[in-house]
Amino acid sequence: MSTLSTLPTAQPGTDRILRRRRIRRTWGRPWLYLPLAGALLLMIAPFLWMLSGSFKPEADIRRVPPVLIPTAPTTANYGELFSTLDFTSMFANSVIVALAVTAGNLIFCSMLGYALAKLEFRGQRAVFLLVMGTLMIPGLVTFVPLYVLVSNMQLTGSMLGLILPFLAGPFGVFLMRQFISTLPDELIDAARVDGCRELAIFAKIILPLTKPALATLGIITFLGSWNNFLWPLVVAQNESQYTLPVGLALASSGQSFTRFGILLAGAVVVLLPVMIVFLLFQRQFVAGIATTGLK
Amino acid sequence: MTSMSTETLPGWGDTDKQSTAGPQRSAGRRRSPRRGMARGRQARAAWILAAPFLALFAAFMLLPLVWSLLMSLTDTSSADLRTPLNVSFIGFDNYVRLFQDDQFFTALRNTAVFVLVALPLTLAAGLAAAVALNSGIQRFRAVFRVGFYLPVITSIVAVAVVWKTLLEPRAGLVNLVLGWFGIDGPAWLADTRFALPVMIVMAVWRNLGTVMIIMLAGLQSVPQSLMEAAELDGAGPWQRFWRVTFPLLRPALLLTAVTTGIGYLQFFDEPFVMTDGGPLDSTLSATLYAYKQFGNGNYEMASAASYVIFVLIVALTVLQFRVLRDKD
């Protein structure tokens, strides 16, 4: 397995362990690469298929047996996607909704998170338990009344109806409270002694320190909103409000629309921004997900 | 947790002059020198900070929650929903009707099969991937991590489109690959025997990345020196895993089991976008049943069904805490 020359020593057993350790530091366990690479291929096969399919001409899509690589790659699917479906406006809607929902959660959750983590007030425990208690409730429980409520507020025909119900989620409070709890109290005490006002302490001292948690919450909220589809599907009343997943879902469920090449191109367009966000903030994202549950 | 402020009467607050020096924080809670005025200022600031969240939370979470419960106890079919106070209460009749409905039992059974098979598989696959990555891979680790996590961040609608084409009986990749091995693949999503198993595989594929990420974080906290000591003491890899690693991973495992379980009991996306519960209700899930009732205008039945699911979620969560919690 390894071709490292080793010095003869008195203890062959220990020697072998030490040599193994040297390889391990640079490579790990070489024999694991093959099965893991196989698993990786299985995991990303659907994505490769999607990418390949989005560049296939219609003749290739219908071919039996299918081809893995387009015979004559074409970008026609992408062109048609943006001309037949109003994909540009859907894209813009997705961005607007995701940004608004993310901004709302960052502001409101960090405010309440700080109050729960560092301030003493009557009813604190009750507020905390109430908010955390809703983490276990299935979305569908509130779905029906929420729909009635939003239509009573005459919001079903506007973007506000897609944004308002998601501006303040319990998960964000949990995450921000967890993080702010770990900041030292001395910071706050010192600021109080200096005569700093309570709200200024939060805005000027605590908030800048919560950047890692805000980044994590921001990414998670953005991804969640970007991929959210059931609510917009039910609430959106006309095509000018559709978000990307809604457009894609309606296009793929239509009996007449079996142009799979175009749908696969749509899937690529839905995935791309998310992938870019993930790759850019990968490190923070992974760290954030990991710390929420393990502290 | 410090007790709430009932014991501080005006003028008495200054008596416990505890020094705040020294790290005596428990879970990040403060024990400041208590002065009535300072506490009042803190409380006012706290409520100002909490108000915007709580207002939205009350309107879009608590109100619908109570409303939904009331709705499940009424006969909404005869009432105008826009005036929710103008309804007649019929007690638990909706729940009785629910449990007389064979279709609801089919939905519950499908959900149970899904959870019982997909949950252990997801946890095992995610754990295996994390352990293999953590101990076996030094180079290219990020590539593996991204690849395994990619399905998690992909919109279910995009996933559904791709899997539909993958599973096409004649023009799809899956049956093409099976054909290489001389296997004649079925019409996956149109076959009552295969539609639900396909969704189980999809769910494992979509969610093992989450389990893997959290487990990886847990594995990072296992001290390397401990593993090396165990190795020099002659513990084999199997023993090292079960005696050293696994006990330290317990909290992370509990967390992922609970959150994944909550998600899986609400099994909805795949059947909704791919089969609409078919063929012959073989992929009808409990939440999809509720959603269909909502679509048919039976709001009271939809609410009752979703409350049954909620009770099941609480039960499963309590059970998991019992089973997986530290024994000491």
Side-chain angles (χ1 to χ4, degrees):
Chain A
M1 195 174 71
S2 72
T3 54
L4 288 178
S5 61
T6 53
L7 298 166
T9 55
Q11 300 161 287
T14 317
D15 180 58
R16 203 172 35 227
I17 287 177
L18 286 175
R19 184 174 39 158
R20 213 185 298 156
R21 206 169 281 168
R22 216 175 13 235
I23 299 171
R24 215 173 276 174
R25 211 157 293 143
T26 47
W27 281 96
R29 291 178 173 77
W31 53 269
L32 267 172
Y33 277 78
L34 200 60
L36 269 169
L40 183 68
L41 185 64
L42 276 180
M43 291 298 287
I44 61 169
F47 296 102
L48 300 175
W49 176 256
M50 168 172 98
L51 204 59
S52 151
S54 70
F55 290 107
K56 281 179 185 174
E58 200 57 31
D60 270 358
I61 293 274
R62 299 180 182 286
R63 200 178 291 257
V64 177
V67 285
L68 297 181
I69 296 182
T71 47
T74 167
T75 54
N77 291 324
Y78 291 91
E80 279 199 58
L81 184 71
F82 285 93
S83 59
T84 53
L85 299 166
D86 198 358
F87 241 64
T88 321
S89 99
M90 290 178 196
F91 199 92
N93 287 345
S94 271
V95 172
I96 292 167
V97 171
L99 284 180
V101 167
T102 306
N105 272 284
L106 290 182
I107 297 165
F108 302 138
C109 296
S110 60
M111 284 163 75
L112 180 58
Y114 172 70
L116 289 175
K118 295 291 185 191
L119 296 175
E120 292 184 26
F121 62 101
R122 213 170 283 194
Q124 181 181 43
R125 203 176 152 69
V127 169
F128 176 69
L129 289 177
L130 191 68
V131 175
M132 288 306 110
T134 57
L135 274 173
M136 251 198 303
I137 290 168
L140 214 64
V141 169
T142 54
F143 195 93
V144 180
L146 206 54
Y147 177 75
V148 179
L149 182 72
V150 167
S151 61
N152 273 355
M153 292 163 80
Q154 315 279 311
L155 290 176
T156 43
S158 79
M159 295 298 282
L160 261 185
L162 303 186
I163 295 168
L164 265 182
F166 303 101
L167 278 180
F171 172 75
V173 176
F174 170 72
L175 196 144
M176 295 312 294
R177 177 183 171 272
Q178 289 287 85
F179 186 85
I180 295 173
S181 298
T182 63
L183 299 174
D185 290 340
E186 288 71 19
L187 281 172
I188 302 166
D189 290 335
R192 282 203 184 107
V193 171
D194 289 346
C196 197
R197 309 194 41 169
E198 292 291 341
L199 295 178
I201 295 176
F202 168 69
K204 295 210 175 92
I205 297 168
I206 298 296
L207 211 50
L209 293 173
T210 59
K211 269 196 195 118
L214 287 174
T216 307
L217 179 60
I219 296 160
I220 293 175
T221 313
F222 192 93
L223 293 183
S225 173
W226 186 266
N227 291 339
N228 186 13
F229 86 106
L230 187 61
W231 178 257
L233 187 70
V234 172
V235 172
Q237 286 181 327
N238 48 51
E239 203 159 323
S240 65
Q241 290 173 271
Y242 288 173
T243 55
L244 276 180
V246 175
L248 194 59
L250 290 175
S252 65
S253 65
Q255 290 302 317
S256 57
F257 200 98
T258 46
R259 304 284 304 276
F260 272 127
I262 298 176
L263 291 178
L264 288 171
V268 173
V269 173
V270 173
L271 177 61
L272 265 185
V274 173
M275 237 182 107
I276 292 166
V277 166
F278 179 65
L279 288 175
L280 283 179
F281 300 106
Q282 208 212 131
R283 192 146 301 187
Q284 273 152 324
F285 184 67
V286 170
I289 287 195
T291 48
T292 46
L294 293 175
K295 282 263 159 60
Chain B
M1 288 278 159
T2 52
S3 63
M4 289 291 102
S5 58
T6 41
E7 76 261 41
T8 45
L9 299 163
W12 290 76
D14 288 346
T15 46
D16 58 348
K17 272 274 193 283
Q18 281 189 330
S19 87
T20 46
Q24 34 135 297
R25 284 182 292 127
S26 60
R29 298 293 311 277
R30 318 189 52 255
R31 295 187 70 90
S32 60
R34 294 180 173 180
R35 298 204 187 84
M37 257 196 41
R39 304 283 312 279
R41 218 180 294 149
Q42 265 192 54
R44 202 169 51 237
W47 282 112
I48 291 171
L49 289 171
F53 182 96
L54 291 180
L56 285 163
F57 185 73
F60 296 107
M61 180 66 108
L62 297 182
L63 174 69
L65 209 58
V66 175
W67 192 343
S68 184
L69 185 63
L70 292 178
M71 216 188 280
S72 76
L73 303 172
T74 58
D75 182 4
T76 49
S77 50
S78 65
D80 181 12
L81 264 169
R82 291 186 184 280
T83 51
L85 298 175
N86 184 16
V87 290
S88 52
F89 279 87
I90 55 170
F92 288 93
D93 284 10
N94 292 323
Y95 291 88
V96 174
R97 265 172 64 201
L98 196 61
F99 283 106
Q100 286 167 345
D101 186 354
D102 286 345
Q103 206 186 21
F104 184 59
F105 273 102
T106 306
L108 281 181
R109 199 191 55 228
N110 290 338
T111 305
V113 169
F114 178 80
V115 170
L116 290 174
V117 180
L119 184 58
L121 278 180
T122 309
L123 293 173
L127 182 59
V131 170
L133 270 191
N134 188 59
S135 64
I137 303 280
Q138 289 296 335
R139 305 275 163 96
F140 318 117
R141 196 183 281 183
V143 175
F144 284 96
R145 206 172 49 192
V146 170
F148 278 86
Y149 202 74
L150 204 51
V152 179
I153 57 169
T154 309
S155 161
I156 176 63
V157 183
V159 167
V161 166
V162 175
W163 279 73
K164 265 187 190 166
T165 59
L166 278 173
L167 295 163
E168 275 283 302
R170 297 182 65 233
L173 177 67
V174 173
N175 282 356
L176 172 74
V177 173
L178 287 177
W180 294 342
F181 297 101
I183 301 166
D184 199 6
W188 298 101
L189 292 171
D191 190 321
T192 50
R193 292 166 307 167
F194 289 108
L196 190 60
V198 160
M199 285 175 190
I200 289 173
V201 172
M202 273 179 75
V204 174
W205 173 80
R206 268 183 78 202
N207 294 298
L208 76 87
T210 310
V211 179
M212 181 194 76
I213 295 273
I214 294 174
M215 293 296 173
L216 266 175
L219 286 166
Q220 304 288 329
S221 67
V222 178
Q224 197 57 41
S225 55
L226 205 59
M227 290 312 260
E228 293 183 354
E231 193 180 359
L232 285 171
D233 285 344
W238 204 237
Q239 264 182 309
R240 285 204 300 272
F241 178 76
W242 287 112
R243 294 284 168 77
V244 181
T245 313
F246 190 76
L248 289 166
L249 280 182
R250 213 181 252 280
L253 188 67
L254 174 65
L255 170 86
T256 47
V258 167
T259 50
T260 313
I262 291 174
Y264 277 6
L265 267 170
Q266 298 176 59
F267 174 47
F268 177 88
D269 292 348
E270 287 90 347
F272 178 77
V273 290
M274 293 178 78
T275 57
D276 198 27
L280 296 177
D281 283 349
S282 65
T283 57
L284 182 75
S285 71
T287 37
L288 186 55
Y289 172 91
Y291 182 80
K292 285 188 169 200
Q293 290 280 20
F294 165 62
N296 295 335
N298 303 326
Y299 291 11
E300 76 288 8
M301 293 296 275
S303 290
S306 48
Y307 262 96
V308 171
I309 297 162
F310 174 45
V311 170
L312 290 175
I313 287 178
V314 172
L316 180 76
T317 305
V318 169
L319 182 77
Q320 286 178 316
F321 266 101
R322 287 252 165 100
V323 172
L324 287 168
R325 212 185 29 210
D326 272 326
K327 296 287 181 285
D328 38 50

